[in-house]
Every structure is written in C-alpha cells, then in structure tokens.
C-alpha cells in the first residue's frame, strides 16, 4: 500500500500544477485584454475618420500631451544627433588635413635623409681620396 500512495500523490501534484498553470494563463490573458482596451484610444487616429467615436476631452488632452512630449524629446534628440554629426564631420576634416600634413612631413624627412646619405658618401669618398693621396706622398 505504501507504493500506491506516492503514485496518487504525484498524480495529484501534476493535476494541481496544471490547474495553477491554467489559472495563471487565464489571469495573464485578462490583464492583456484590459491593457489593450485601456490604451486602445491612444492608437486611434486623431481626426478624419467617421467610423470612430470622438475621444472624451481628458483622453484627447492626454494624447495631445503625449504627442507633445514625444515631439520635444525627439526634437532634442535630433538636434543632438545633428550636432554630433557636424562634430564628427569636422573631426574627419581635421584628421584628413593632419594625415596630409604628416605625409608631407614624412616626405620631407625622407628627402632630408637621402640628402644626408649623399653628403656622407661624398665626404667619405673625399676622405678616402685624401688618405690615398697622403699615403702616396709618404711612400714616395
């Protein structure tokens, strides 16, 4: 008999869980319906349609306030984005100009380095010639 009781308990627990899950699902569906019905007036077009009843003044004021708030927030955000874009464009121009300046500097240093190498070779060749001439005079 002890073996039969746990099986009955498990079946009862499963039924309880199913019942609780069904109740939770039903409550969630009710909440969704309530919210949809409560804010449905906010999604209706403001005017121009004849098949929708007019909004009561408080609802219309709420919709107007929400629209105004959205426009102010969006306007501020758009202004900030435009300012950011202009700053980034000016930074791009600055970086482009600096890149060109660096390229000119590198080119100048390369030319200076080549000139220094040529001068060093000439000096080394002249010193070598003077040394040979001096060695030739000593030997003669």
């Amino acid at each position: 008999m002890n073996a039969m009781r746990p099986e009955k308990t498990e079946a009862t627990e499963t039924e309880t869980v199913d019942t609780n899950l069904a109740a939770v699902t039903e409550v969630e569906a009710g909440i969704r319906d309530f919210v949809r019905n409560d804010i449905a007036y906010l999604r209706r077009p403001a005017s121009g349609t004849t098949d929708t009843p007019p909004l009561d003044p408080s609802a219309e004021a709420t919709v107007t306030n929400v629209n105004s708030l959205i426009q102010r927030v969006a306007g501020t955000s758009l202004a900030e984005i435009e300012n950011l874009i202009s700053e980034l464009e000016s930074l791009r121009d600055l970086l482009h100009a600096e890149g060109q300046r660096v390229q000119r500097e590198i080119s100048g240093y390369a030319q200076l380095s080549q000139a220094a190498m040529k001068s060093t070779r000439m000096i080394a060749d002249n010193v070598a010639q003077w040394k040979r001439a001096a060695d030739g005079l000593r030997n003669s």
Side-chain angles (χ1 to χ4, degrees):
M1 285 204 172
N2 288 338
M4 297 298 274
R5 280 191 167 172
E7 290 176 6
K8 287 182 181 179
T9 305
E10 288 175 9
T12 306
E13 287 176 4
T14 305
E15 290 174 3
T16 305
V17 169
D18 289 342
T19 306
N20 289 341
L21 185 60
V24 168
T25 305
E26 185 178 335
V27 169
E28 287 178 351
I31 291 172
R32 273 191 225 103
D33 289 341
F34 175 74
V35 170
R36 282 188 193 124
N37 292 335
D38 192 41
I39 64 167
Y41 69 89
L42 293 174
R43 289 182 273 168
R44 290 186 191 131
S47 63
T49 58
T50 58
D51 52 330
T52 57
L55 298 175
D56 62 342
S58 64
E60 194 168 326
T62 302
V63 170
T64 304
N65 288 339
V66 169
N67 287 338
S68 172
L69 177 65
I70 289 172
Q71 288 175 352
R72 279 187 273 148
V73 170
T76 304
S77 297
L78 287 175
E80 289 178 12
I81 289 170
E82 287 174 358
N83 287 339
L84 181 62
I85 288 171
S86 65
E87 286 179 20
L88 289 172
E89 286 174 345
S90 65
L91 283 174
R92 181 190 62 199
D93 294 341
L94 174 70
L95 286 173
H96 183 68
E98 285 298 306
Q100 288 178 342
R101 184 188 64 79
V102 168
Q103 285 179 349
R104 286 191 305 270
E105 292 287 328
I106 289 172
S107 176
Y109 287 130
Q111 290 174 355
L112 182 64
S113 176
Q114 288 176 354
M117 292 279 287
K118 286 180 182 177
S119 298
T120 304
R121 277 193 205 114
M122 278 200 247
I123 292 171
D125 290 344
N126 287 336
V127 168
Q129 286 177 359
W130 291 343
K131 188 176 179 183
R132 281 192 299 262
D135 285 343
L137 289 175
R138 284 185 198 161
N139 289 339
S140 356

